[in-house]
Amino acid sequence: MGEQQHVNFPQEVIDEYAALGVDLQALFSAGHLGNRMGVQISDASADRVVGTMPVEGNTQPYGLLHGGASAVLAETLGSIGSMLHGGSSKIAVGVDLNCTHHRGVRSGLVTGVATPVHRGRSTATYEIVITDENDKRVCTARLTCLLRDVKPGDEELIRAAN
């Protein structure tokens, strides 16, 4: 799935998942798609998730960052925040993603920061702000995830993602 990256997690999250035998670094990563797109997660907690993505390799025919690439970064960051909010007894499933693209980017890295708008028992909504290397806003996104209970058999899927 690509090279392993190091993500900074709060200690209580590390302890919770270690007790279950789950590899946090793999579970809360960018996944196969994010890895192909070069998404790197640096910090992850229910309060704030930060990640970067290169523009190169993620452009549309005009040479600008593809809007779908921004959506992948946004959904990845918001999903990680939602999963961390839900804890090990919940699975976060995206149900609504809205992206507004403010400006084009042709090179460098973009950085996304996801912060919670709402964290409830059954849903979590995150705002994701994506900026360029000059700290100019490229995209504003909002992701809502359904938080559903882990069901029998889900543990195998979670471990398979590792």
Side-chain angles (χ1 to χ4, degrees), residues 58-60 64-73 97 99 101 130 139:
N58 294 315
T59 58
Q60 38 88 310
L64 299 170
L65 178 65
H66 195 290
S70 294
V72 167
L73 179 59
L97 175 65
C99 300
H101 307 288
I130 300 173
C139 175

Side-chain angles (χ1 to χ4, degrees), residues 117-138:
V117 173
H118 165 77
R119 291 186 293 187
R121 288 182 310 231
S122 60
T123 63
T125 300
Y126 280 75
E127 178 184 59
I128 304 92
V129 174
I130 300 173
T131 56
D132 65 14
E133 291 180 326
N134 296 316
D135 206 30
K136 300 231 182 209
R137 192 176 290 223
V138 172

Side-chain angles (χ1 to χ4, degrees), residues 12 23 28 37 52 67 78 81 85 89 93 99 102 106 108 141 144 146 156:
E12 62 271 13
D23 179 357
F28 294 105
M37 297 180 72
T52 60
H85 164 65
S89 66
V93 180
C99 300
H102 305 292
R106 293 188 180 279
T144 297
L146 172 70
E156 291 177 24

Side-chain angles (χ1 to χ4, degrees), residues 70-81:
S70 294
V72 167
L73 179 59
E75 185 148 358
T76 298
L77 300 177
S79 292
I80 290 170

Side-chain angles (χ1 to χ4, degrees), residues 15-22 88-89 159:
D15 295 342
E16 177 183 358
Y17 284 88
L20 300 172
V22 174
S88 61
S89 66
R159 284 193 175 80

